[in-house]
Amino acid sequence: MDHRERQPDRQISIEVAVAEHMAHRRRHKQGGPAYLDNVEICLGKFARAFRGMRINELTEHLIRDWLHDQDWDEKTFNKYRCYIRTLIDWAKGDGRCWEGPNPIDKIPYIKPDDDEEIVVPPPADVARILAASLRHPEWGMTSPLAAQFGFGMRTCEVCRADVSDIRVAQNIIRVRAKVAKAGTRRNIPINGPLFPTFRELLLGHLPARGLLAPENFYCLREKVCRAAGVQWIWNMGRRSFASYHYAQTGDDTATRFILGHIGRVEVFIRHYRSVDIVENGDLRPLAPADAQDYWLEMANLIAQFAAQDDAVALLECAHAS
């Protein structure tokens, strides 16, 4: 719980809170019909990401991760931030289902000229997260996390993708237009020389059918990170892939193709030419040896933290390649 000392009067889910909040806003005519319809759509998307969670269980960390993981422009980010802030303010007041400060106050607006530096975890922390997902197969998180760390998929793409989008015979992940953030489809290769460990993690733990990621992805990712003893960094999976792939290959064209990066190439190079690793609270530059560990030693790193059977399977796969 987010440093709140006492429980609110009511314990209700985020979905119920959104429904009551929107009914309150419509009843008091807090905006025109079209505007309120848009607010309801946006908050509905937010609520679905945390299906089953009570609103008073939300934390600054969870909200911040969700907002940043959507990879929005500053206008859309700030709009959602505003809507969520208003929802929690209602929950503190008329909703009687929140105690304590509004966590949104600690999440700043994004300014148009913000040029955030890229920070990624060390390979060992990625291995800890993936190993924790292997130790808890009931959470169904290994394949979606492998799609992010190993193949650069956005969180919003992972949550929309279907198992049928993993084309094993063609060795690709098909990112359909309606799944991709920018509405531009792409095919991500999964059989490159750097990918055997992540390919094994992706294919070896796929659901039988349906969506690639579990419905309550964000809640389960938080559980995986707690089990791993690692804190999730903003956009951690996709940025780790981009940073380590570019550092290993030096090929901005190939890296941008896999990512589906549609921005200017000079922006991409400026961001990923000099990346910092955060380790034990300190920053250090990403070195070539880190990229080697990420791609060529990941199976060995995971084996240090995974259950024995999973470790043996990963090591066999790595040695076979």
Side-chain angles (χ1 to χ4, degrees), residues 155-175:
T155 300
C156 58
E157 293 173 342
V158 165
C159 290
R160 296 172 191 158
D162 192 89
V163 172
S164 63
D165 294 325
I166 314 298
R167 304 296 182 90
V168 180
Q170 299 166 282
N171 277 308
I172 61 169
I173 301 173
R174 181 188 63 165
V175 183

Side-chain angles (χ1 to χ4, degrees), residues 38 176 210 218 231 242 277 286:
N38 180 256
R176 291 167 289 141
Y218 284 91
Q231 182 167 320
I277 287 177
L286 189 157

Side-chain angles (χ1 to χ4, degrees), residues 87-242:
L87 168 67
I88 295 175
D89 280 345
W90 168 85
K92 290 174 63 177
D94 292 331
R96 295 182 292 106
C97 51
W98 186 280
E99 287 290 338
N102 192 326
I104 285 284
D105 292 338
K106 293 185 178 180
I107 304 174
Y109 284 106
I110 293 180
K111 300 176 183 178
D113 58 350
D114 280 355
D115 192 11
E116 185 184 350
E117 294 184 359
I118 304 298
V119 178
V120 297
D125 280 0
V126 175
R128 287 184 175 91
I129 290 171
L130 293 169
S133 75
L134 288 169
R135 294 197 305 270
H136 295 278
E138 69 278 10
W139 294 343
M141 289 295 290
T142 299
S143 288
L145 287 171
Q148 294 198 281
F149 284 116
F151 304 103
M153 292 183 71
R154 298 176 175 92
T155 300
C156 58
E157 293 173 342
V158 165
C159 290
R160 296 172 191 158
D162 192 89
V163 172
S164 63
D165 294 325
I166 314 298
R167 304 296 182 90
V168 180
Q170 299 166 282
N171 277 308
I172 61 169
I173 301 173
R174 181 188 63 165
V175 183
R176 291 167 289 141
K178 68 178 183 179
V179 169
K181 173 201 171 187
T184 303
R185 66 181 183 180
R186 69 187 190 278
N187 293 327
I188 301 173
I190 60 174
N191 62 337
L194 300 181
F195 301 150
T197 299
F198 291 101
R199 188 180 192 275
E200 173 69 16
L201 291 167
L202 174 72
L203 301 183
H205 303 272
L206 284 173
R209 62 183 66 83
L211 293 175
L212 173 63
E215 194 172 60
N216 51 344
F217 175 85
Y218 284 91
C219 303
L220 289 171
R221 190 178 69 186
E222 186 79 358
K223 292 177 73 172
V224 170
C225 287
R226 283 201 301 269
V230 177
Q231 182 167 320
W232 189 264
I233 304 171
W234 304 342
N235 218 353
M236 182 170 167
R238 179 174 169 85
R239 287 184 171 181
S240 294
F241 168 84

Side-chain angles (χ1 to χ4, degrees), residues 21-77:
H21 169 64
M22 292 311 304
H24 173 88
R25 296 195 68 170
R26 293 183 190 281
R27 187 165 57 249
H28 293 277
K29 296 182 171 58
Q30 296 177 351
Y35 169 76
L36 292 177
D37 286 346
N38 180 256
V39 174
E40 189 162 20
I41 290 169
C42 294
L43 289 178
K45 179 177 180 178
F46 175 70
R48 286 191 297 275
F50 299 98
R51 192 182 299 273
M53 178 180 279
R54 294 191 299 272
I55 189 166
N56 62 302
E57 293 176 318
L58 283 171
T59 64
E60 172 203 343
H61 184 64
L62 279 173
I63 299 170
R64 185 192 298 268
D65 279 352
W66 184 81
L67 285 169
H68 282 275
D69 274 350
Q70 307 311 308
D71 207 13
W72 284 318
D73 59 40
E74 69 275 359
K75 182 178 179 180
T76 305
F77 178 99

